[in-house]
Amino acid sequence: MATAEGVKKPVLEVVQAEGCDDSSVTFVLHDEDHTLGNSLRPEVEFCGYSITHPSENKINFRIQTRGGIPSVEPFRRGLNELMTVCQHVLNTFEVSMKEYKEQHKLEEAMDQF
């Protein structure tokens, strides 16, 4: 992602407080909004997100896990599950559109008789 100054920013930043282990991490996702933030709620001790300011196109996504599990694991799993759901919705939509178009063509052909 390029900024107004032309400096390329990463899409994902990982912020970790000094002295904390990998089970408590904040992920900063640039070019994202409430859509992604509301979709990713892994089963963890604490999970939340915030948008720092409406004019900033990024979210801070905080994950804190139990039992020393690295925060990146439920984050990655949540993203993969979200992609699976989106792909299912897209596939279902495309199949429905194909069926609709075929039915519509059949109805048009019958109207010509």
Side-chain angles (χ1 to χ4, degrees):
M1 174 176 81
T3 63
E5 298 84 30
V7 178
K8 188 169 182 156
K9 280 187 155 182
V11 174
L12 172 68
E13 292 179 61
V14 178
V15 180
Q16 196 167 7
E18 190 173 323
C20 288
D21 61 13
D22 287 343
S23 68
S24 183
V25 175
T26 297
F27 300 94
V28 180
L29 299 151
H30 296 274
D31 289 328
E32 291 297 342
D33 57 19
H34 289 285
T35 303
L36 180 62
N38 272 324
S39 300
L40 300 174
R41 297 180 190 175
E43 298 296 320
V44 295
E45 187 172 319
F46 174 82
C47 178
Y49 77 94
S50 64
I51 293 185
T52 55
H53 190 274
S55 67
E56 291 185 322
N57 201 16
K58 70 177 185 178
I59 65 172
N60 293 336
F61 198 84
R62 176 86 173 156
I63 298 176
Q64 186 171 333
T65 61
R66 295 183 195 99
I69 297 169
S71 295
V72 72
E73 288 181 23
F75 184 63
R76 182 180 295 123
R77 185 177 62 245
L79 289 172
N80 285 332
E81 289 173 3
L82 181 59
M83 285 189 328
T84 300
V85 168
C86 289
Q87 189 61 54
H88 173 73
V89 169
L90 179 61
N91 292 343
T92 302
F93 174 77
E94 288 174 345
V95 166
S96 295
M97 285 301 297
K98 183 179 177 182
E99 290 173 356
Y100 171 80
K101 288 178 181 179
E102 288 173 359
Q103 181 64 32
H104 188 69
K105 284 180 185 178
L106 180 61
E107 287 173 3
E108 284 181 358
M110 294 181 77
D111 287 343
Q112 292 178 0
F113 289 109

